[in-house]
Amino acid sequence: MKLLQFGAIALGSVGMLVLGAFSHSDRATSYASSSNTKAAEIVVAKNELVEKAGTSKDSKSKKGGQVVEAGAYHLELVPEKEANGTHLDLYLQRGDNHEAIPNAKVTAQVQSPDGTQKNLNFKYDPSGKHYTTLLPGKATGQYQMKVTADIKGEKVNGRFSFKQ
């Protein structure tokens, strides 16, 4: 009799474990699919907002460089290889109308392909309505760059990467 009770308890326990395992995999699957659905909905909603606001053109490159939208600001980096290094042009603009911001303090931290880091200060070029600096060196490969702009006490950051 005790053997029969033990068998029933063991069989019931195994059954509960199997049911629990299936219910958790269903939950994980439904969570993953709902997360993917939500992520897709967010992307679609963002694209719709961009199209409705008429700003889809705002996040595109105006000067042929890499664009980062940071809050109300539009940052565009245009690197150009030169004999003594890489000339960097940074367009810092208000995102809504792309008006140039001339009075910011702009700095960058650049990591070269060989792992060395350099700090750069950008200067404003009023004729071109952008910031400019020279990254010395001729290392070829992928560069990582973090730009920080101080606009009247407000910090704006952008991350860029480029190959030379």
Side-chain angles (χ1 to χ4, degrees):
M1 182 73 165
K2 287 189 178 193
L3 185 59
L4 187 61
Q5 284 179 339
F6 178 74
I9 291 172
L11 184 60
S13 296
V14 169
M16 295 294 269
L17 287 173
V18 169
L19 287 174
F22 283 121
S23 82
H24 287 299
S25 70
D26 290 345
R27 237 184 270 154
T29 303
S30 70
Y31 175 75
S33 65
S34 72
S35 293
N36 290 340
T37 302
K38 287 179 184 174
E41 289 172 356
I42 289 170
V43 169
V44 169
K46 182 178 177 186
N47 288 342
E48 287 174 359
L49 285 175
V50 165
E51 288 173 9
K52 285 180 185 175
T55 58
S56 60
K57 64 183 183 310
D58 292 346
S59 61
K60 292 182 181 174
S61 171
K62 303 280 188 202
K63 306 294 181 183
Q66 189 180 119
V67 174
V68 171
E69 298 290 336
Y73 299 99
H74 174 94
L75 291 85
E76 183 171 351
L77 178 70
V78 181
E80 292 182 23
K81 197 170 191 174
E82 292 186 350
N84 56 348
T86 304
H87 178 84
L88 301 171
D89 288 329
L90 180 76
Y91 295 85
L92 176 61
Q93 303 166 334
R94 296 207 193 294
D96 54 351
N97 60 4
H98 286 238
E99 176 186 341
I101 302 170
N103 53 355
K105 180 181 178 193
V106 181
T107 59
Q109 295 174 329
V110 181
Q111 182 175 347
S112 299
D114 62 4
T116 60
Q117 294 201 4
K118 295 180 181 168
N119 293 322
L120 303 172
N121 293 315
F122 282 83
K123 294 186 185 207
Y124 188 72
D125 174 15
S127 63
K129 295 185 179 180
H130 67 282
Y131 293 85
T132 184
T133 193
L134 179 69
L135 173 61
K138 297 181 183 182
T140 58
Q142 186 77 24
Y143 287 80
Q144 301 294 325
M145 183 168 143
K146 178 187 175 192
V147 173
T148 303
D150 185 342
I151 305 167
K152 296 180 183 175
E154 182 181 3
K155 300 281 185 192
V156 177
N157 295 314
R159 293 190 182 269
F160 299 92
S161 63
F162 60 93
K163 288 184 179 180
Q164 289 296 345

